[in-house]
Amino acid sequence: MKRFLYVLLTVLMALPMVAQAQEVTSNPVIQIEENQDELTIIVTGDGMLSVKVMRDQDNDFEFVIPVDEAQVEETYVFTIQRSYDENEHFHGQVTATAQEDGKLPSETVEKRFTMRPYYVMPRPEITFTEDDGGVTITVDKIVAQLDITISVNGECVIAEQQIGYGAYTYYIEKSSSEKLIEVHAINQGTTHGDIWQESTSTYLLAALEQSVAKTPWIEVNQTDDYAIVTAQSDEEGSTVHLLLNGEEVSNPYVALRMDFEQELEFMAYSVVDGKLQSDYYFQLVYLPAYPPIEATSAPTISIEDIDLPDGVISKRIIITPTEPSVIYYTCYAIDETGDYIVISDVCQEGEVEFVIQDPGHYRVSAFAIADGKDPSAVDQCEFMIYAPWPKWYDFEEDGIFYKKNGETVSVCFETTDHHTYSGEVNIPATVTHDGVTYMVTAIDEDAFRDCSELTSVTIGAYVTDIAVHAFYGCTSLTSVTLGDYVISLGYEAFAGCNSLTTVNLGSGLAQIGDNAFLGCSELTDVRCKAATPPVMTSSNCFNSNVYATATLHVFPAVLDKYQSANGWSQFANIVPEDNAAPATGDANGDGKLSIDDISTLINMLLMGE
C-alpha cells in the first residue's frame, strides 16, 4: 500500500507542471531560392522574426561577417545580387527565431548557403588530326559539362553530353567519297550563374584512294519463244547489277517475250568489296514480236521459324512451284545503308528449301519458268533474324527475375531489352528456388527501367538497396511502397515516372540519391516513416513543383526535424501523419496526454499489486 501512495503522490505533484507549461512559438522556416542573377533568402514564421545573415571569414566556416540583420513581422526577404568578382564567392548562414505575443520564443533555426559569382566557362577548343584511315576530332578545355554534335555531310552522327574535365575525342573513317564534317561544342555549367561558351568548326575529309571494279558486259540469247538477257563479269568477288530502262531487275539476268517488236535499253555495273563501283555498260537490245504464250504460275514463298539452342531463332525458306517448272531465286542481305548484297543465286527444278541462321535483314525473290511458257511474275518477301538477347538472371519465380549473390538474391531484368514487368508487382521478402530459400536484399540497376506498363510496386521487407535507374522511365507507375529495411535510393532511381502520385518511404531509409524522383511531377503525397530525416545528396531529389504543392506526411514527434532538414525543408506542406505512433506517456492510447492517462496508470499499478 505504501508503494501505491508513493506513486500517487508523485503523479499528483507532476500535475501542476503539466498545467502551467507555457506554449512555445513554432519554429520559423528558412528557404533559399536561386536563379541566374541572384540568391534570395525567405524566412516565414509566426509573430516577430529576428533574423541574422552572416558570411564566413576566409572560407573557414566561421560566420562572423554581418550581411544583414532585421526584426520583422511574419515574413523576411533578403536578396543578394551575383557579380563577376571571384572574391564574391562565400559561404553564408541564416539564423532566425520567432515569438508570438504571450508565448515563449521558438528555437533558433539555422540554414547555410553558398553564394557564388558568375563564372564564364572557357571556350571549347576543336582540333582535327588526320591519318591514312580517317580523322580524329578532339574537343579540349571541357569544364563540368560539354554538349557536342557532329554532322557528316549534313547528317548528325553524334549528339551527346560529356561530363567531367579534360578532352573528348571522336574518330571518323574515310570512305569512297569525301566528307564535310561539322562540329559544334558548348561548354555549359551545372549550377546557377555560369556563362556558356560555344565553338563551331568544319573539316573536309578527303575520299579514299580506291581502285575501280571491272565493268561487266551483257549477253543476249534468243530462242524461238523468248530472249534471255544476262549481265556477267569475270572479276572475282564481283556482284553484278542489271537494269532495264533504268529499273533494276531482281537478278542479273532476265527472260523477255514481247507482243510487238521493240528496242530496250539495258545497263549493267559491278560492285566489289574494297573497290569503287564500276562504270556502267550500256546496250540496246532489239526484240522481235513473239507468238502469244501462256505465263507460268508464280511460285509461293513461305517462311518457318526454327528454334535453336541458346535462344537463337533461324528461318527456313520454302519456295514451292504451283506447276512443274524451274525456280529462279535470289536471296539478298540488306546492309545498314539499304544496299542489297546477294548471298545466294540459284536456278533449280522443283521445290527449293534452305535455312538462314545469321542475324540480319533479308529479302528473297523468286520466279518460275515452265516448259513452253513465259516466266512467271516475281514473288518476294523480306524478313529479319534477330540476335538473341543476353540472359542476365539466374532464375525466375512468379514472373520476377533474380540474380544470385551468395546466400541472397537481387531483383534484375530478364534481358537488355527491358520492358519485362507490368501491372502490380510485389517483391517478396524471400523466394524459394530448387528447394533453397533466399532473402531478397536489393533491386539491381535498370531492373524495372522503361517498364511502361508497370502500375504499382511494393518492396519486400528485407530489401536494403535500390540501385541507379532501378525504376527509371516507368511512365504508368502510380504508387510505390518501400520496406522498412530500405537504406538508400540510387541516382535517378524513380526519375521519369511521370504518373507517380504516392510514395511511401520506410522507417529505415537513410539516404536519397541525386534526382531520385526527378520528373515525377504528379506527386501529391510523400509519406516518410523515418525518425531521422534521410540525407538528400542534393536539392534536386524532387521536382520544384512537388516541393511547392505535394504534402509530406511525417510522425508528429519529428515534424520540426523535417521542417529544418536540408532538402526536406523545401516542402511547403509538411503535416503530421494521421496514424502516428502514440506519444510517450499516452497510457490509454487516445493519442494525447491528459488526466485520464494518470487514472489509467493508477489502475495498472493497483492491478500489479
Side-chain angles (χ1 to χ4, degrees):
M1 194 63 182
K2 291 181 178 179
R3 178 184 173 190
F4 163 73
L5 293 175
Y6 174 76
V7 172
L8 178 62
L9 181 61
T10 302
V11 171
L12 293 175
M13 291 177 65
L15 281 175
M17 297 180 65
V18 173
Q20 295 175 6
Q22 188 172 358
E23 192 173 356
V24 178
T25 305
S26 299
N27 291 341
V29 176
I30 303 174
Q31 292 179 283
I32 307 295
E33 296 182 355
E34 293 186 74
N35 60 31
Q36 179 74 13
D37 300 309
E38 61 190 20
L39 180 146
T40 303
I41 300 166
I42 303 172
V43 183
T44 56
D46 299 327
M48 180 64 69
L49 299 176
S50 296
V51 184
K52 288 184 179 181
V53 181
M54 309 290 285
R55 61 179 286 180
D56 63 348
Q57 183 174 11
D58 300 326
N59 288 322
D60 56 4
F61 289 92
E62 292 185 9
F63 300 99
V64 296
I65 302 175
V67 177
D68 190 51
E69 183 174 358
Q71 288 191 334
V72 296
E73 289 281 350
E74 297 182 348
T75 303
Y76 168 85
V77 179
F78 182 68
T79 299
I80 306 175
Q81 297 293 324
R82 297 190 187 280
S83 73
Y84 288 93
D85 186 353
E86 293 183 359
N87 295 323
E88 286 304 310
H89 182 284
F90 65 87
H91 300 289
Q93 177 175 279
V94 184
T95 60
T97 58
Q99 185 171 11
E100 290 185 86
D101 291 341
K103 295 184 180 181
L104 293 176
S106 70
E107 297 179 1
T108 299
V109 179
E110 298 180 352
K111 190 160 191 173
R112 294 185 180 183
F113 63 90
T114 299
M115 183 63 194
R116 56 191 299 276
Y118 289 113
Y119 177 69
V120 179
M121 311 298 288
R123 189 177 301 280
E125 185 177 282
I126 304 171
T127 57
F128 301 88
T129 306
E130 186 173 340
D131 56 30
D132 292 339
V135 63
T136 299
I137 301 167
T138 302
V139 182
D140 209 348
K141 297 185 178 179
I142 299 174
V143 178
Q145 177 174 303
L146 175 79
D147 285 358
I148 182 168
T149 56
I150 301 175
S151 298
V152 176
N153 295 335
E155 182 178 349
C156 181
V157 296
I158 190 75
E160 63 180 34
Q161 288 184 339
Q162 180 77 9
I163 305 298
Y165 296 79
Y168 171 87
T169 60
Y170 186 76
Y171 189 76
I172 296 179
E173 295 181 346
K174 289 183 178 180
S175 66
S176 57
S177 58
E178 65 181 17
K179 296 179 177 179
L180 178 61
I181 302 170
E182 299 175 87
V183 182
H184 185 212
I186 302 176
N187 250 342
Q188 61 175 339
T190 56
T191 55
H192 295 302
D194 295 331
I195 306 300
W196 297 2
Q197 295 277 24
E198 60 183 322
S199 297
T200 300
S201 187
T202 60
Y203 187 83
L204 186 62
L205 181 62
L208 283 171
E209 295 183 2
Q210 292 180 287
S211 58
V212 179
K214 188 175 180 180
T215 304
W217 69 89
I218 294 174
E219 288 187 356
V220 181
N221 295 310
Q222 293 186 337
T223 69
D224 293 338
D225 297 318
Y226 52 84
I228 297 178
V229 180
T230 307
Q232 300 184 32
S233 174
D234 57 9
E235 184 174 12
E236 184 177 354
S238 175
T239 300
V240 181
H241 297 260
L242 178 64
L243 294 85
L244 170 58
N245 293 336
E247 296 291 332
E248 185 165 354
V249 299
S250 58
N251 293 290
Y253 52 84
V254 61
L256 299 170
R257 180 182 177 85
M258 299 299 169
D259 295 333
F260 57 93
E261 64 179 32
Q262 59 182 295
E263 193 172 56
L264 302 177
E265 182 183 81
F266 285 89
M267 292 189 299
Y269 67 92
S270 293
V271 176
V272 179
D273 287 344
K275 293 186 177 183
L276 297 176
Q277 177 184 306
S278 74
D279 294 332
Y280 282 95
Y281 180 90
F282 295 88
Q283 184 167 333
L284 294 175
V285 177
Y286 168 77
L287 295 177
Y290 291 99
I293 192 171
E294 183 182 357
T296 306
S297 298
T300 59
I301 303 175
S302 60
I303 300 175
E304 299 176 355
D305 288 343
I306 304 175
D307 292 334
L308 298 178
D310 299 325
V312 176
I313 298 178
S314 62
K315 302 286 186 181
R316 177 184 287 112
I317 296 89
I318 303 172
I319 306 174
T320 306
T322 54
E323 61 177 300
S325 55
V326 175
I327 300 294
Y328 294 83
Y329 78 89
T330 303
C331 184
Y332 303 90
I334 305 174
D335 65 18
E336 294 178 354
T337 64
D339 290 338
Y340 291 82
I341 303 169
V342 177
I343 61 174
S344 62
D345 188 6
V346 177
C347 171
Q348 178 178 322
E349 187 172 356
E351 185 174 84
V352 175
E353 180 178 325
F354 58 96
V355 174
I356 300 178
Q357 296 184 4
D358 295 334
H361 185 185
Y362 297 91
R363 170 184 282 184
V364 174
S365 298
F367 67 92
I369 301 178
D371 289 342
K373 292 186 178 182
D374 270 350
S376 73
V378 176
D379 188 18
Q380 63 184 20
C381 65
E382 290 189 17
F383 57 90
M384 299 286 296
I385 297 180
Y386 296 97
W389 292 110
K391 178 180 172 182
W392 292 90
Y393 64 94
D394 292 315
F395 65 88
E396 177 264 335
E397 291 290 343
D398 297 329
I400 298 178
F401 297 89
Y402 298 94
K403 185 184 294 183
K404 295 180 183 178
N405 305 301
E407 296 180 353
T408 65
V409 293
S410 58
V411 177
C412 62
F413 47 78
E414 179 184 9
T415 68
T416 52
D417 189 31
H418 303 303
H419 316 305
T420 301
Y421 303 99
S422 62
E424 298 179 1
V425 173
N426 293 314
I427 298 172
T430 62
V431 62
T432 301
H433 178 72
D434 288 343
V436 179
T437 298
Y438 302 89
M439 292 177 60
V440 184
T441 59
I443 310 296
D444 283 351
E445 180 175 343
D446 294 328
F448 292 82
R449 179 169 185 157
D450 297 328
C451 291
S452 59
E453 297 182 4
L454 182 69
T455 57
S456 70
V457 63
T458 301
I459 310 297
Y462 298 139
V463 172
T464 59
D465 294 297
I466 298 178
V468 171
H469 292 157
F471 294 88
Y472 184 98
C474 295
T475 54
S476 297
L477 185 63
T478 59
S479 66
V480 172
T481 301
L482 306 187
D484 289 334
Y485 281 14
V486 174
I487 298 173
S488 64
L489 296 181
Y491 172 75
E492 293 188 347
F494 290 91
C497 297
N498 53 20
S499 297
L500 190 61
T501 59
T502 303
V503 172
N504 298 295
L505 306 176
S507 61
L509 188 62
Q511 179 172 297
I512 301 179
D514 288 1
N515 303 339
F517 294 94
L518 191 66
C520 302
S521 57
E522 298 299 316
L523 265 176
T524 57
D525 286 281
V526 179
R527 288 178 166 80
C528 189
K529 294 163 59 179
T532 299
V535 174
M536 290 189 185
T537 57
S538 78
S539 61
N540 295 326
C541 291
F542 295 88
N543 276 28
S544 59
N545 75 297
V546 172
Y547 286 123
T549 62
T551 301
L552 173 61
H553 304 260
V554 298
F555 288 137
V558 296
L559 180 64
D560 58 339
K561 292 183 180 180
Y562 280 85
Q563 290 174 333
S564 59
N566 285 338
W568 297 104
S569 63
Q570 295 182 82
F571 278 93
N573 305 310
I574 307 178
V575 300
E577 181 62 58
D578 293 339
N579 60 349
T584 304
D586 182 13
N588 62 1
D590 63 356
K592 58 185 179 180
L593 293 175
S594 67
I595 194 68
D596 294 332
D597 294 316
I598 298 175
S599 299
T600 302
L601 287 170
I602 293 173
N603 291 332
M604 292 169 62
L605 291 170
L606 288 173
M607 292 175 65
E609 285 290 311

